[in-house]
């Protein structure tokens, strides 16, 4: 009887969960449309950057580093032992997402805030990038990871945790002063759609071949090693960079030993 009641209480939660998943990219694109129609992206950027400045530069620097592609792979490597298909989906979907974002950046080549605004109007943390603003690659990565993990775990708690991760990661690009709000809205929508679609597709596959295991290990291990020498052009992240590199190396070698070589 208890299990029946539990099933009944779960159904409406999942129904609501799916509705919200479908509405997220529409909500993001609608926000982009409002900013474009009202021509208010500069005002909103300065206002957001000012209020985000009430939190420390250390916080925002580490949040934005967390959604850097290199750090994101180290984060995803935590799933190697139990959710190797999620890591493979992150690799395949991440390549697609990266290509889409790069092509759009090259096509629009929109100037970033440091190239347009007086530096006294806003705060910049790290390097003041000036070109290829639209859309935000970091925001795309943040929502890509969120959508991917939600598609795999499909629970209400995972939904809110992952969505919070995505929102903070995207907002951090305005907080550090290198992206317009329109950049993060479109980047987030692209990342969410590709991430969730990748997670949903690969979550349906039960068989995971031996060559795929070697591919997953190689990518995660090389990404972790590369993180040791990677320059994120962001202050205050040296400790986080070392920790994430260690996590990536440890999880990769652990996966190699117990899932591939089966020692």
């Amino acid at each position: 009887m208890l299990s029946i009641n539990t099933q009944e209480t779960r159904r409406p939660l999942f129904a609501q969960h799916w509705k919200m998943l479908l509405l997220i990219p529409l909500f993001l694109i609608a926000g982009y449309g409002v900013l474009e129609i009202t021509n208010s992206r500069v005002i909103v950027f300065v206002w957001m950057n000012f209020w985000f400045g009430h939190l420390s530069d250390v916080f925002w620097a580490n949040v934005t580093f967390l959604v850097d592609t290199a750090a994101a792979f180290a984060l995803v490597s935590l799933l190697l032992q139990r959710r190797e298909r999620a890591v493979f989906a992150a690799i395949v979907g991440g390549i697609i997402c990266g290509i889409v974002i790069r092509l759009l950046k090259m096509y629009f080549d929109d100037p970033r805030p440091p190239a347009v605004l007086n530096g006294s109007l806003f705060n910049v943390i790290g390097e003041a990038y000036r070109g290829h603003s639209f859309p935000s690659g970091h925001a795309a990565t943040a929502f890509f990871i969120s959508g991917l993990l939600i598609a795999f775990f499909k629970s209400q708690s995972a939904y809110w945790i992952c969505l919070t991760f995505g929102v903070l990661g995207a907002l951090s690009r305005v907080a550090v002063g290198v992206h317009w709000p329109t950049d993060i809205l479109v980047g987030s929508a692209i990342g969410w759609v590709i991430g969730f679609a990748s997670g949903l597709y690969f979550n349906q596959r039960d068989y995971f071949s031996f060559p795929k295991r070697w591919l997953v290990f190689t990518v995660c291990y090389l990404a972790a090693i590369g993180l040791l020498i990677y320059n994120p052009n962001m202050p205050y992240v040296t400790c986080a960079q070392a920790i994430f590199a260690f996590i990536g190396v440890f999880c990769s070698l652990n996966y190699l030993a117990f899932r591939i070589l089966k020692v």
Side-chain angles (χ1 to χ4, degrees), residues 19-34:
K19 289 177 183 178
M20 293 180 72
L21 282 172
L22 294 173
L23 287 173
I24 283 176
L26 295 177
F27 174 78
L28 293 168
I29 295 301
Y32 166 79
V34 170

Side-chain angles (χ1 to χ4, degrees), residues 106-137:
M106 292 174 62
Y107 179 78
F108 289 101
D109 194 19
D110 196 29
R112 297 184 189 236
V116 177
L117 301 179
N118 188 314
S120 63
L121 295 175
F122 66 105
N123 180 44
V124 177
I125 306 171
E127 186 169 341
Y129 296 104
R130 306 182 71 82
H132 300 292
S133 183
F134 181 86
S136 169

Side-chain angles (χ1 to χ4, degrees), residues 67-90:
V67 294
D68 191 292
T69 302
F73 261 109
L75 179 67
V76 171
S77 68
L78 290 166
L79 304 174
L80 278 171
Q81 282 295 333
R82 296 185 178 274
R83 298 276 182 168
E84 57 190 1
R85 283 175 293 138
V87 182
F88 184 74

